[in-house]
């Protein structure tokens, strides 16, 4: 072979190596009982959840790079059906919803992706990610063996798979996506639905496989996921989890870094020592894929928070905080954990551990290969007392509730309880007038007759609003005779309102009379309050507020929202006056919404006021902007 030919061959070999899994080379993703295998190579993979709609596109590159710098191999995200198909057949993949751009940003960073299509996601997201129009498909019943639902679900799943395929984003095409998920935490629902649940789950698995992505599918919290779908674990700890077949890898799809926040609730934090211990314990027992839920939680922008009563912050005490800033020591300690485990990777994916008891609460897991690789995990399960153990003729001191990692079976490179990273604390400081807030009072004195309708009785809120707004006005009138006792020194009548959720503001003749709200655990509530009525016609206006739609629970699509009554006046001379079935006038939304005050780019004729002036004459419904 001549020099020129040899040069060409070397160039070709170099080109193939340099391109790696490019469009020219189809890459394979398979699995065995030890691990996910990429091009035949078993991998220990650390993944982190970053949801593209919970941050802005300008943040994505920085968030993904920080995750990579922290030892993350895979970025995981749900796919949010309601933002992509707001009305049937009309798709939206722009701005924060540009999932293709998000996937390509992951790819440019040299990371893999796990696409959890669902399309049910839960995720403390409005309506669990389902578009509200789905509720009104004739004959539909969510997440069960129901043809209208399966048809719609399959249509969206195939839409997303087709979009990813068109952009060559599956690893089988040279893209970053190495795993996909169908359904989400269905196991409990499946048992409740019995045979219909099992049939639906089996159908969903087979439907997903038939899309031909070329990468494995998973189902989380689904013990009976059929082959070849891999069942996986979600939780604070998953070391006791095992897949349903001995030839499937052990995958932890949600290692909870913290917890979400609800209005009026506590801000949950998880010490990084405990999270690191849970991860190390999972790895030492043969786990090979861990996804942190969340690695960056982000923000529930607009009306995306579900629950209801989930806050707009989805910080989750994650290693990267809501603002995209690194949270120490959580980020740094996990980074060191990942580095330490990667030092053990060859041994971990090659053999099974030999487990030896070193004390009442102490164990060692040893991974030793014929080729000489040796890794050990020294564990102390005592929650209160430290321990001194003998291993390989050497003594090791183990703090309580900790695991030490020895990549060479001799030297400790990491202990889950020993944090060597400086703690940082975010502190919010006053802006000292940097921002100039402006306010605008919502006009509640008159109605836009073109947008109202009147009917007898109380209507369910979402059936009226179709989720176009969180607000629905319920309005009626009562005539009070001049002889009523309360007008002549007697006790004011009492208005009692029973609501199915989530909050209500009561206006009597244009003046705020009271407010009430439920909680995430109990959306229903009863308002009881005195009302100052006058002789003649009195206008009662109830502003019902939905604080995010439900995202989890059996047939949550059938749950009611709004004021279904009874609504009654007590303490009149005639006794109780039930207003429930008299004529009510309805108006969807607030005038500020109709004037597009929500949009930062809106151009309106509204006269905004400096907040300092607005504060001097507080109004019950006020818009604020900066």
């Amino acid at each position: 072979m001549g020099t020129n030919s040899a040069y060409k061959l070397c160039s070709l070999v170099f080109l193939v190596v340099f391109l790696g899994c490019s469009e020219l080379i189809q890459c394979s993703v398979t699995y065995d009982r030890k691990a996910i295998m990429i091009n035949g190579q078993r991998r220990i993979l650390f993944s982190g959840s970053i949801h593209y709609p919970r941050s802005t596109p300008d943040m994505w590159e920085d968030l993904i790079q920080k995750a990579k710098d922290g030892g993350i191999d895979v970025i995981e995200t749900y796919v949010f059906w309601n933002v992509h198909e707001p009305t049937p057949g009309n798709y939206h993949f722009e701005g924060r919803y540009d999932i293709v751009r998000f996937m390509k940003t992951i790819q440019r960073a040299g990371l893999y992706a796990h696409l959890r299509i669902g399309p049910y996601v839960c995720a403390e997201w409005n309506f669990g990610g389902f578009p509200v129009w789905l509720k009104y498909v004739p004959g539909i019943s969510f997440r069960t063996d129901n043809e209208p639902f399966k048809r719609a679900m399959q249509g969206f799943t195939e839409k997303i798979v087709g979009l990813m395929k068109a952009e060559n984003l599956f690893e089988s095409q040279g893209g970053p996506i190495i795993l996909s998920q169908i359904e989400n935490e269905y196991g409990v629902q499946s048992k409740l639905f019995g045979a219909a649940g099992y049939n639906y789950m089996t159908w969903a698995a087979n439907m997903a496989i038939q899309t031909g992505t070329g990468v494995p599918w998973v189902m989380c919290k689904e013990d009976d996921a059929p082959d070849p779908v891999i069942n996986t674990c979600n939780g604070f700890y998953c070391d006791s989890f095992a897949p349903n077949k001995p030839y499937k890898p052990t995958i932890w799809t949600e290692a909870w870094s913290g917890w979400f926040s609800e209005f009026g609730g506590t801000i949950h934090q998880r010490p990084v020592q405990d999270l690191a211990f849970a991860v190390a314990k999972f790895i030492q027992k043969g786990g090979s894929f861990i996804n942190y839920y969340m690695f960056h939680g982000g923000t529930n922008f607009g009306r995306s928070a579900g629950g209801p009563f989930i806050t707009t912050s989805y910080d989750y005490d994650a290693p990267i905080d809501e603002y995209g800033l690194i949270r120490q020591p959580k980020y740094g300690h996990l980074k060191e954990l990942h580095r330490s485990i990667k030092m053990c990777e060859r041994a971990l994916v090659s053999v099974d551990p030999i487990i030896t008891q070193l004390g009442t609460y102490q164990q060692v897991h040893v991974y030793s290969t014929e080729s000489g690789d040796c890794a050990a995990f020294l564990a102390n399960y005592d929650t209160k007392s430290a321990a001194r153990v003998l291993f390989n003729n050497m003594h090791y001191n183990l703090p309580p509730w900790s695991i030490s990692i020895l990549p060479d079976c001799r030297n400790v490179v990491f202990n889950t309880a020993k944090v060597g990273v400086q703690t940082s604390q975010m502190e919010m400081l006053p802006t000292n007038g940097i921002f100039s807030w402006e306010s605008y009072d919502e006009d509640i004195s008159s109605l836009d007759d073109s947008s109202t309708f009147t009917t007898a009785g109380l209507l369910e809120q979402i059936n009226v609003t179709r989720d176009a707004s969180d607000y629905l006005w319920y309005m009626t009138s009562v005539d009070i005779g001049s002889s009523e006792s309360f007008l002549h020194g007697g006790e004011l009548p009492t208005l009692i309102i029973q609501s199915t959720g989530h909050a209500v503001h009561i206006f009597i003749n244009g003046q705020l009379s009271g407010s009430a709200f439920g909680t995430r655990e109990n959306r229903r509530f009863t308002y009881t309050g005195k009302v100052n009525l006058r002789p003649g016609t009195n206008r009662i206006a109830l502003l019902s507020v939905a604080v995010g739609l439900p995202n989890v629970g059996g047939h949550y699509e059938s749950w009611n929202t709004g004021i279904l009554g009874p609504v009654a006046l007590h303490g009149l001379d005639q006794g109780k006056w039930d207003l429930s079935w008299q004529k009510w006038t309805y108006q969807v939304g607030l005038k500020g919404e109709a004037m597009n005050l929500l949009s930062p780019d809106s151009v309106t004729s509204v006269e905004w006021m400096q907040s300092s002036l607005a504060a001097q004459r507080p109004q019950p419904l006020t818009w604020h902007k900066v």
Side-chain angles (χ1 to χ4, degrees), residues 148-166:
F149 178 77
K150 292 193 295 184
R151 224 174 8 251
M153 174 181 165
Q154 180 170 355
F156 181 73
T157 302
E158 291 176 347
K159 174 72 176 180
I160 296 301
V161 170
L163 181 65
M164 298 297 106
K165 281 184 176 179

Side-chain angles (χ1 to χ4, degrees), residues 346-544:
R346 281 197 310 187
L348 291 171
V349 299
S350 299
V351 294
D352 293 328
I354 297 171
I355 306 167
T356 306
Q357 205 70 23
L358 301 178
T360 306
Y361 300 106
Q362 294 78 39
Q363 271 184 347
V364 61
H365 289 66
V366 178
Y367 288 81
S368 181
T369 69
E370 292 182 359
S371 60
D373 293 312
C374 188
F377 291 72
L378 294 173
N380 179 15
Y381 304 132
D382 194 315
T383 58
K384 296 179 180 177
S385 301
R388 183 173 172 84
V389 298
L390 180 66
F391 168 66
N392 272 358
N393 297 317
M394 294 179 65
H395 284 99
Y396 297 89
N397 295 314
L398 304 177
W401 198 245
S402 78
I403 294 174
S404 286
I405 299 174
L406 293 68
D408 59 357
C409 286
R410 292 190 64 81
N411 296 293
V412 175
V413 299
F414 183 86
N415 179 273
T416 59
K418 295 179 179 178
V419 179
V421 182
Q422 183 69 40
T423 298
S424 64
Q425 190 71 37
M426 180 68 66
E427 185 180 4
M428 299 295 178
L429 299 173
T431 59
N432 296 322
I434 295 173
F435 298 114
S436 178
W437 283 89
E438 294 178 290
S439 300
Y440 173 72
D441 294 336
E442 174 78 10
D443 180 12
I444 59 173
S445 63
S446 61
L447 293 174
D448 179 4
D449 292 336
S450 66
S451 64
T452 66
F453 68 94
T454 301
T455 189
L458 297 162
L459 302 179
E460 197 277 337
Q461 182 168 340
I462 308 306
N463 285 342
V464 178
T465 66
R466 297 296 171 112
D467 200 39
S469 170
D470 287 327
Y471 299 95
L472 178 63
W473 286 100
Y474 293 70
M475 295 165 287
T476 193
S477 296
V478 294
D479 290 325
I480 298 296
S482 58
S483 62
E484 282 285 350
S485 300
F486 76 86
L487 296 172
H488 305 283
E491 188 175 351
L492 288 174
T494 300
L495 180 65
I496 298 179
I497 302 166
Q498 289 193 24
S499 173
T500 56
H502 308 131
V504 66
H505 302 297
I506 298 94
F507 295 86
I508 306 295
N509 297 319
Q511 298 298 311
L512 181 66
S513 182
S515 300
F517 53 87
T519 64
R520 180 170 163 266
E521 288 72 27
N522 189 7
R523 304 172 307 281
R524 300 170 182 268
F525 63 91
T526 300
Y527 169 82
T528 303
K530 300 293 183 183
V531 285
N532 188 15
L533 302 177
R534 62 195 180 198
T537 301
N538 293 261
R539 183 167 173 265
I540 297 175
L542 311 177
L543 180 60
S544 182

Side-chain angles (χ1 to χ4, degrees), residues 28 38 78 149 210 218 226 245 248 274 298 307 321 347 392 422 464 496 503 518-519 524 567 586 612:
S28 68
I38 302 175
Y78 282 125
F149 178 77
Q210 288 167 11
V218 304
K245 294 291 174 59
K248 295 179 182 179
D274 182 62
D321 74 11
N392 272 358
Q422 183 69 40
V464 178
I496 298 179
T519 64
R524 300 170 182 268
V567 175
Y586 295 89
S612 56

Side-chain angles (χ1 to χ4, degrees), residues 42-68:
R42 295 184 183 129
R43 296 290 304 276
I44 298 289
L45 294 169
F46 293 104
S47 172
S49 287
I50 300 174
H51 294 161
Y52 55 97
R54 283 176 158 140
S55 53
T56 65
D58 288 343
M59 296 171 68
W60 292 345
E61 186 175 354
D62 180 64
L63 294 173
I64 291 164
Q65 186 60 47
K66 283 173 177 170
K68 181 180 182 179

